[in-house]
Amino acid sequence: EVQLVEFGGGLVQVGGSLSLSCTASGFTSDDYTFAWFRQAPGKEREVVSCLNSSDRSTELVHSVKGRFTISHDGPTTTTYLQMTDLKPEDTAIYYCAAWVGGCHAFGVTMDYWGKGTLVTVSS
């Protein structure tokens, strides 16, 4: 059974840092792209960062460039999202997702999701 579990959410002050992790299990190949999405209250879900399966290159939404970093540890199949200089607009539920293919293949193949972890940035 494919499973993604997120850890690390919480309350942090503006300008602070937080690290999220996503542990994957049940994946049978290395061809999975891992990504972080978020959904703020009253807003649509958006992709935050994506790590391509083919070459481990990364992509970030413009609003988090220079502040967030995605990484992946193969042996533990754990994907991380290191967040710095957090802003109130970063408040959201953060979800880990995975699918076969590159970042731009999202929606083409079956995707898998964690249940999310809440990040709250207080001013």
Side-chain angles (χ1 to χ4, degrees), residues 22-65:
C22 169
T23 300
S25 61
F27 290 86
T28 58
S29 77
D30 294 329
D31 293 333
Y32 283 86
T33 280
F34 291 91
W36 288 94
F37 289 73
R38 67 185 179 186
Q39 187 165 20
K43 295 188 177 181
E44 293 188 355
R45 181 186 63 191
E46 66 169 349
V47 61
V48 176
S49 186
C50 186
L51 194 151
N52 280 290
S53 59
S54 58
D55 59 3
R56 296 305 182 193
S57 61
T58 62
E59 300 183 21
L60 292 161
V61 69
H62 178 74
S63 61
V64 306
K65 283 185 178 179

Side-chain angles (χ1 to χ4, degrees), residues 1-19:
E1 177 187 3
V2 171
Q3 193 173 23
L4 297 170
V5 181
E6 302 97 338
F7 299 93
L11 176 65
V12 63
Q13 291 187 332
V14 168
S17 300
L18 206 60
S19 182

Side-chain angles (χ1 to χ4, degrees), residues 12-16 38 40-41 43 67-68 84-92 94 119-123:
V12 63
Q13 291 187 332
V14 168
R38 67 185 179 186
K43 295 188 177 181
R67 301 189 298 121
F68 290 13
T84 63
D85 189 23
L86 283 159
K87 307 175 186 298
E89 52 265 39
D90 295 319
T91 294
Y94 284 72
V119 172
T120 303
V121 184
S122 65
S123 56

Side-chain angles (χ1 to χ4, degrees), residues 106-119:
F106 177 66
V108 176
T109 59
M110 180 177 291
D111 43 87
Y112 301 92
W113 294 84
K115 294 182 178 181
T117 185
L118 176 63
V119 172

